[in-house]
Amino acid sequence: MIQYLVMEVRNLEPLKIGAGGSKKNPAEPSKDYIPGSTLRGAIISQLIKQGVFTQETGPSIVKGIECYNAYPYRNDKLFVPTPQNLRVDKHKWRRRKLLSAQPGGEDSTISLSDLLQESRDRNALEYRFLSVEGDTLIGAKPPKFYTLHHSTSNKPSDREKENLFNYQAIASDQTFRSILSFGPDQLPLIESIIGQKQSFLAYLGGSKGSGYGLCMIKTVGEVQADYREARKLLGFKIPSKQAAGRKLTITCLSDCMFRDEYGRPINELPRRFIEQGCGVSGSLAHSLVVTGISEGFNTKWGARYPKETTLKAGSVLRYELERELSEAEWERVCWKLEHRLLGMRTQDGYGWVGINLEFPAALRVKEEQDQANSASGCNRETISVDESPREKEAAAQDIGIIKRGLKETKAQWLRMIVLKAFKHSANLQPAADRVILRDGLRRHPLQLMLEELRLCMAKLRGTDSNHKSSKSSSSVGDKQLYRFNKEVCSIADCSFAAIIDYLNGGGEEAANRRLEAYADKMLGSKRGGLYYAYANGPNDRPLFVAELLEAGLYYLHRRDS
């Protein structure tokens, strides 16, 4: 008889859990959840410390212990991978999101469509994880960031003595929940790992010696003999539809690795599992799957696991059974197929499925924020340094090196936005979500605008001690109408004059809100978060707007010359 224990993980340091790709890439991405294999490694590490796990007896001791993937947990809700059958109209989504991002914006919802039924929408959802609140879906995205690292080698055989590379990691102070399943005879072993405090510290993921991976792992509630009770403790809110019928819908809640009777990889649930769970056979009617490659690294071996084909989490399979099942039969089917992991490598969290999960057809636009963690909504980490003057000076030098190293790539990113705006602005009108840039200003007005803008930028950077304060638009004559022409140059439906007022700390409130909403959108991207991670706190949004406007005016100035 299988027993279940719900585990909660809170990372005290950023988590670096590699997400595959080329190992030669200097920017290694990270997963946004904690795989079961990573949790299993933490349990084995605890057993090694206690002297229980040895090379001879270790494999037999942990046989039968299965670790489910740990997914984000916020406000008493577990967020599971988004299923592939849910789709949205991207144009409606962007409009709703832009409105909700403005101060005082409504917490609106948007309707979704289902590819298992007739649907015209083909755009995937933005949120990687979903949960349910009432009759509405809510999304979550664990915050991640890139950190620049510098390594030096003293080995004479190494051709490259120094190396710069980026690690992506999950931001610290996030909460995840998982299930640990085991046999009844292994309960004393599990209790010895947890201890009397029902919690322990462990390092998860990679780069443990570089400030990554420290986590607090604790139990939630008591050991459960029923999977359904364990799922309640887990915070799993998505109900299962158990009405009489013939349709069996399987949603992969983790990556799955299935093989047929000959040991060959297949992209569906083996027939034997359906016959054992339902008592009848069925045929595959719809298949919405995304395939992936299994990966992993064994520290003991010092080598990577073999790569195998998997069905990625979120894949959906719809089967048509030979006969209709009653409600009581569906309850038995759900328990049989859900109470254990299916397929291969279940000890590493592969094979978690949900049966006939009923997802609401409406999605809340705003992301769910962790009320117990004010930093959960941040996607850029702040840097804290020691109080020692020497440490402060060293940290300031490091940040200066990073800023200089990113200066050229940041300029290329701004130029890319400008070139894209110039190319596509010919037939577009000014709007709150776009940059408008067209020919129409002569060289002298452009020179005046650049000079005025650079005075504002010097003020923002704190280097304007030898400059006069820039003029606001109210002090400029109405003859300079080019300053108010949004058809030629504008950001977020704001003219040059409105932008200058915003940079000087004034201007209309509505225009300022549009500029800040556009800046938040761009700084929330991967590149924006990287290039402006070391900006001066509240000045990061005005500084981005000023530098983007400077890049646009400089581009027009060069075209005119």
Side-chain angles (χ1 to χ4, degrees):
M1 182 178 180
I2 302 176
Q3 294 185 320
Y4 308 91
L5 183 62
V6 176
M7 310 288 290
E8 182 174 291
V9 182
R10 195 165 190 88
N11 58 320
L12 308 179
E13 293 178 346
L15 282 180
K16 175 190 169 295
I17 303 175
S22 173
K23 304 306 173 186
K24 296 181 180 180
N25 194 331
E28 182 179 356
S30 171
K31 294 184 184 295
D32 42 15
Y33 65 94
I34 304 175
S37 57
T38 303
L39 293 174
R40 179 180 170 85
I43 291 174
I44 293 176
S45 177
Q46 290 294 117
L47 293 175
I48 292 175
K49 289 180 182 178
Q50 297 175 11
V52 178
F53 188 97
T54 62
Q55 189 171 1
E56 294 78 17
T57 63
S60 60
I61 288 176
V62 298
K63 186 177 181 180
I65 297 179
E66 296 178 342
C67 298
Y68 290 55
N69 288 349
Y71 291 128
Y73 178 80
R74 296 179 181 177
N75 306 327
D76 301 327
K77 295 182 288 291
L78 182 78
F79 288 78
V80 298
T82 301
Q84 288 293 322
N85 59 308
L86 297 183
R87 298 293 160 142
V88 70
D89 185 328
K90 65 180 180 181
H91 304 291
K92 295 180 181 178
W93 171 259
R94 289 170 181 171
R95 286 194 292 268
R96 293 285 182 88
K97 188 176 181 183
L98 181 63
L99 292 174
S100 64
Q102 296 179 1
E106 296 182 0
D107 189 5
S108 60
T109 61
I110 188 169
S111 60
L112 303 177
S113 58
D114 192 341
L115 290 182
L116 294 176
Q117 304 171 3
E118 291 187 6
S119 171
R120 294 182 179 180
D121 298 331
R122 292 292 184 268
N123 304 119
L125 274 60
E126 177 180 324
Y127 296 120
R128 175 72 173 84
F129 299 98
L130 296 176
S131 186
V132 172
E133 189 174 80
D135 57 352
T136 306
L137 283 172
I138 48 180
K141 293 186 294 185
K144 298 191 291 185
F145 65 96
Y146 278 98
T147 302
L148 187 66
H149 291 267
H150 177 213
S151 65
T152 304
S153 175
N154 295 323
K155 296 181 181 179
S157 58
D158 290 347
R159 297 178 60 184
E160 296 183 359
K161 300 298 181 182
E162 297 191 9
N163 185 29
L164 283 174
F165 53 94
N166 277 315
Y167 279 156
Q168 189 184 43
I170 301 173
S172 59
D173 207 22
Q174 305 299 310
T175 304
F176 304 84
R177 279 196 178 182
S178 169
I179 292 179
L180 187 67
S181 66
F182 49 89
D185 56 334
Q186 294 171 313
L187 180 58
L189 182 66
I190 300 300
E191 291 177 342
S192 69
I193 297 172
I194 300 167
Q196 296 181 351
K197 295 182 179 179
Q198 301 294 299
S199 64
F200 61 93
L201 290 173
Y203 278 92
L204 304 181
S207 298
K208 301 177 180 67
S210 302
Y212 294 88
L214 181 61
C215 296
M216 171 66 74
I217 303 177
K218 67 177 183 179
T219 62
V220 179
E222 303 294 332
V223 175
Q224 302 293 328
D226 190 344
Y227 168 77
R228 289 165 290 195
E229 295 299 322
R231 198 165 75 164
K232 290 180 182 178
L233 285 176
L234 191 64
F236 195 98
K237 301 293 185 181
I238 303 171
S240 296
K241 185 178 180 181
Q242 297 178 0
R246 297 176 56 185
K247 294 180 180 179
L248 171 68
T249 304
I250 297 174
T251 303
C252 297
L253 300 177
S254 70
D255 290 359
C256 297
M257 194 180 298
F258 298 134
R259 296 182 183 275
D260 62 11
E261 61 271 22
Y262 302 107
R264 297 173 300 189
I266 56 176
N267 61 351
E268 62 172 297
L269 192 69
R271 297 289 178 89
R272 63 182 183 275
F273 288 143
I274 298 177
E275 294 174 356
Q276 292 170 4
C278 303
V280 295
S281 60
S283 59
L284 185 64
H286 294 281
S287 176
L288 299 170
V289 302
V290 178
T291 58
I293 297 294
S294 66
E295 291 195 325
F297 184 83
N298 189 295
T299 306
K300 182 68 175 178
W301 298 344
R304 299 189 179 276
Y305 285 105
K307 297 181 183 296
E308 299 181 77
T309 305
T310 65
L311 266 67
K312 298 192 70 173
S315 298
V316 179
L317 303 168
R318 168 68 64 81
Y319 289 87
E320 194 77 22
L321 302 181
E322 290 183 345
R323 67 175 179 86
E324 186 174 289
L325 302 183
S326 64
E327 293 185 19
E329 287 178 311
W330 273 123
E331 185 175 357
R332 177 178 55 83
V333 168
C334 290
W335 180 84
K336 277 196 170 184
L337 294 178
E338 289 181 341
H339 83 286
R340 62 189 178 95
L341 301 178
L342 305 177
M344 310 297 296
R345 285 184 62 178
T346 56
Q347 73 276 8
D348 293 332
Y350 289 87
W352 187 14
V353 300
I355 305 301
N356 289 356
L357 297 181
E358 193 170 12
F359 291 89
L363 173 65
R364 195 174 72 189
V365 175
K366 286 187 178 180
E367 177 187 355
E368 177 81 355
Q369 299 295 336
D370 191 351
Q371 297 176 1
N373 177 18
S374 59
S376 65
C378 300
N379 51 15
R380 283 176 288 159
E381 290 276 300
T382 57
I383 290 186
S384 59
V385 297
D386 193 82
E387 292 297 326
S388 165
R390 182 176 297 178
E391 292 289 338
K392 286 185 177 181
E393 182 180 356
Q397 291 178 355
D398 291 341
I399 292 176
I401 293 173
I402 294 172
K403 284 183 176 180
R404 290 192 294 272
L406 295 176
K407 183 177 180 180
E408 180 57 32
T409 55
K410 181 177 76 171
Q412 291 177 359
W413 179 59
L414 294 173
R415 286 196 295 269
M416 179 189 69
I417 299 174
V418 166
L419 290 172
K420 186 177 179 180
F422 187 84
K423 180 179 179 181
H424 298 288
S425 295
N427 300 318
L428 297 176
Q429 295 299 317
D433 60 343
R434 65 174 65 118
V435 177
I436 295 295
L437 201 64
R438 299 171 183 160
D439 287 325
L441 292 173
R442 296 189 177 183
R443 186 173 185 181
H444 181 64
L446 284 171
Q447 184 66 36
L448 294 178
M449 294 165 74
L450 276 170
E451 291 177 357
E452 185 176 357
L453 175 62
R454 284 166 179 167
L455 288 176
C456 293
M457 295 174 65
K459 182 179 178 181
L460 289 172
R461 293 168 177 163
T463 58
D464 66 336
S465 57
N466 296 325
H467 297 81
K468 296 180 182 179
S469 61
S470 57
K471 298 178 181 180
S472 66
S473 60
S474 60
S475 62
V476 179
D478 292 337
K479 294 181 179 180
Q480 297 181 356
L481 297 179
Y482 58 84
R483 294 168 50 84
F484 305 91
N485 189 353
K486 294 190 292 186
E487 302 290 336
V488 175
C489 178
S490 67
I491 298 176
D493 199 19
C494 296
S495 64
F496 174 82
I499 296 173
I500 291 296
D501 287 343
Y502 167 70
L503 299 179
N504 285 328
E508 297 181 0
E509 184 177 352
N512 294 348
R513 284 201 304 266
R514 292 197 300 271
L515 287 169
E516 291 184 351
Y518 179 78
D520 285 337
K521 172 188 172 183
M522 301 304 293
L523 296 182
S525 64
K526 291 182 179 180
R527 289 192 177 187
L530 176 63
Y531 297 145
Y532 288 87
Y534 303 99
N536 300 322
N539 282 342
D540 55 353
R541 290 184 293 184
L543 188 60
F544 162 75
V545 172
E547 291 182 344
L548 178 60
L549 181 59
E550 182 192 30
L553 294 176
Y554 182 72
Y555 175 75
L556 291 177
H557 188 266
R558 288 190 60 188
R559 283 181 59 87
D560 184 69
S561 61

